[in-house]
Amino acid sequence: MISKNTICLWYDGTALDAAKFYAETFPDSAVGAVLRAPGDYPSGKQGDVLTVGFTVMGIPCLGLNGRPAFRHSEAFSFQVATDDQAETDRLWNAIVGNGGQESACGWCKDKWGLSWQITPRALTAAITDPDPAAARRAFEAMMEMTKIDIAAVEAARRG
């Protein structure tokens, strides 16, 4: 069944590779229908992958092989709430270690240029602490990190 609202992500001929990576990396993710060109067209041949339906953590997506006309930017990202350091490390390392790129404060990009926020729930709790001084210390610690270190955030929170 086609979802009423689907996120469409533009790729330069690599939508199927990206969908497979996401399905292997994230829970509740899968590759769905692959639509191939029924005939030759100006920028491709019969049988080329046009679109790939997939889900990322239950979110319906469509990968569109639109060629290099548009690139991903930080204006769109997936934010993944992780439960512990092991999950944070596993997802971060999968993205960055597969040709991706580190950024600041828990952000990284996959090799296709799509941005991800790998955000431990403990970080969210720390920077929303009802004690403003504790929240500020946790926030300042986060601002110095690439991948989030939960133990360091908690230590800063405690002062």
Side-chain angles (χ1 to χ4, degrees), residues 61-62 89 116 146:
C61 298
L62 181 74
D89 292 347
W116 297 83
T146 52

Side-chain angles (χ1 to χ4, degrees), residues 21 25-27 57 78-111 114-120 123 142 144-150:
F21 173 76
T25 303
F26 298 98
M57 296 170 286
F78 281 105
Q79 184 179 46
V80 182
T82 56
D83 292 324
D84 55 31
Q85 192 66 52
E87 184 181 19
T88 301
D89 292 347
R90 183 184 73 76
L91 296 177
W92 180 274
N93 294 338
I95 293 167
V96 172
N98 187 44
Q101 175 184 352
E102 293 183 345
S103 190
C105 306
W107 288 68
C108 58
K109 285 185 183 180
D110 64 29
K111 73 179 184 180
L114 189 61
S115 291
W116 297 83
Q117 298 175 58
I118 308 302
T119 309
L123 171 64
M142 176 208 60
E144 299 297 317
M145 298 178 184
T146 52
K147 177 177 65 177
I148 302 301
D149 178 338
I150 295 170

Side-chain angles (χ1 to χ4, degrees), residues 1-9 52-55 59-63 76:
M1 183 157 125
I2 297 174
S3 177
K4 190 164 185 86
N5 186 13
T6 301
I7 295 170
C8 184
L9 300 168
V52 179
F54 60 98
T55 57
I59 298 171
C61 298
L62 181 74
F76 175 88

Side-chain angles (χ1 to χ4, degrees), residues 34-46:
V34 177
L35 174 62
R36 295 184 179 275
D40 291 350
Y41 57 105
S43 62
K45 302 274 185 215
Q46 179 177 347

